[in-house]
Amino acid sequence: MIVSFVQTKGGTGKSTLSINTAFSKFVLDRFRSIALVELDPQGTLQSWWQERVAEGRDSYHVSFHHISSTQKEVIQQGISAIASHNDLLILDVPGESTSKLHTKFACAFSDIVVIPMRTSTNDESAFKNNLLPLIKELVKLTPEKIGSFFILPSFTNPQANKEKIIDYFNEILPNYIRCLPVVYPSRSVYENFNRDGMHIREYADSLSSNKRAYAQTYKAVDDIELIADAIFKNME
Ligand SMILES: Nc1ncnc2c1ncn2[C@@H]1O[C@H](COP(=O)(O)OP(=O)(O)OP(=O)(O)O)[C@@H](O)[C@H]1O
Ligand SMILES: [Mg+2]
């Protein structure tokens, strides 16, 4: 199975979500071998993984792969090779305003495409102009892709009424894209959990001597478990 985090707009949480979903308890318990695949030529996850290895962290049955090519055939071959050895692939796709090569690839070859998106007029119009036409075209050519695309409301205020946000998205979205029944709240812990190659649960556990920080960080761990559950529920 292939799950992608896609959004042509930069900085919406794709890489953060890719890392933490791959290491969520939900995913670790359900898949025997998980491949975290970075398609971003910038290689942010690659550096993070190198730190992880240098720190000697246990990655259980998660492996990391970086595909930096901008040739569709090379990307396709790389993904097929990884898919033949793993139950689940999680693709971290770069934010792309031009060419959109990786975005198009991920939309066409994934079983589930998760689109983290903020509730802002700017993000909504960027989505309508950039990503939506691409998905619309794909669904027209391949109707069986309907049901693969999900918005994840991101950077939501942790106090906000999440049902309202989800209803809002479902109202404005065309019928071939649904909103996941969950949100990805904005929390400062997401800005620094990844030091020394950690994922969010490792970071929370590293704070266990400070009860308050630990409880605060565990809210983010819970966010991720709920998100993983919502993503994979669609496959059962
Ligand atoms: N839920 C969140 N709350 C607050 N900050 C977040 C959250 N998720 C991610 N961030 C921070 O926002 C920034 C962008 O996140 P991230 O790199 O995951 O986005 P991205 O979509 O992968 O960006 P790009 O398009 O450049 O690849 C990072 O500094 C990250 O630490
Ligand atoms: Mg990224």
Side-chain angles (χ1 to χ4, degrees), residues 61-84:
H61 40 296
V62 181
S63 58
F64 177 77
H65 311 260
H66 176 82
I67 301 178
S68 64
S69 179
T70 49
Q71 278 178 279
K72 197 179 157 212
E73 295 70 27
V74 177
I75 300 173
Q76 202 161 339
Q77 280 166 13
I79 295 291
S80 301
I82 299 167
S84 66

Side-chain angles (χ1 to χ4, degrees), residues 11-16 38 40 42 44-45 92-95:
T12 59
K14 300 178 285 293
S15 300
T16 307
E38 177 176 50
D40 194 338
Q42 276 187 40
T44 324
L45 288 201
D92 176 26
V93 182

Side-chain angles (χ1 to χ4, degrees), residues 58-198:
D58 187 350
S59 289
Y60 312 97
H61 40 296
V62 181
S63 58
F64 177 77
H65 311 260
H66 176 82
I67 301 178
S68 64
S69 179
T70 49
Q71 278 178 279
K72 197 179 157 212
E73 295 70 27
V74 177
I75 300 173
Q76 202 161 339
Q77 280 166 13
I79 295 291
S80 301
I82 299 167
S84 66
H85 293 102
N86 291 278
D87 297 340
L88 173 68
L89 275 64
I90 295 189
L91 309 190
D92 176 26
V93 182
E96 300 170 302
S97 48
T98 52
S99 110
K100 305 191 188 75
L101 172 91
H102 300 93
T103 302
K104 284 181 191 159
F105 175 86
C107 288
F109 288 93
S110 304
D111 301 290
I112 301 181
V113 177
V114 181
I115 307 163
M117 185 164 135
R118 293 178 202 240
T119 46
S120 82
T121 349
N122 267 352
D123 282 33
E124 281 168 30
S125 60
F127 172 73
K128 272 188 196 142
N129 295 330
N130 292 303
L131 189 50
L132 188 59
L134 199 153
I135 297 174
K136 196 173 182 179
E137 186 64 26
L138 195 64
V139 167
K140 209 164 100 190
L141 292 172
T142 336
E144 58 270 26
K145 295 288 309 175
I146 295 178
S148 307
F149 299 95
F150 297 93
I151 295 287
L152 171 59
S154 66
F155 291 76
T156 59
N157 181 330
Q159 320 296 339
N161 178 333
K162 69 176 184 182
E163 278 73 30
K164 260 194 180 165
I165 298 174
I166 294 162
D167 285 350
Y168 169 74
F169 271 115
N170 277 328
E171 236 164 65
I172 63 163
L173 289 168
N175 60 4
Y176 49 87
I177 305 180
R178 291 293 82 200
C179 184
L180 284 175
V182 70
V183 295
Y184 176 49
S186 182
R187 300 191 195 277
S188 56
V189 41
Y190 286 112
E191 287 164 30
N192 44 36
F193 76 90
N194 56 350
R195 65 176 65 144
D196 304 328
M198 281 189 267

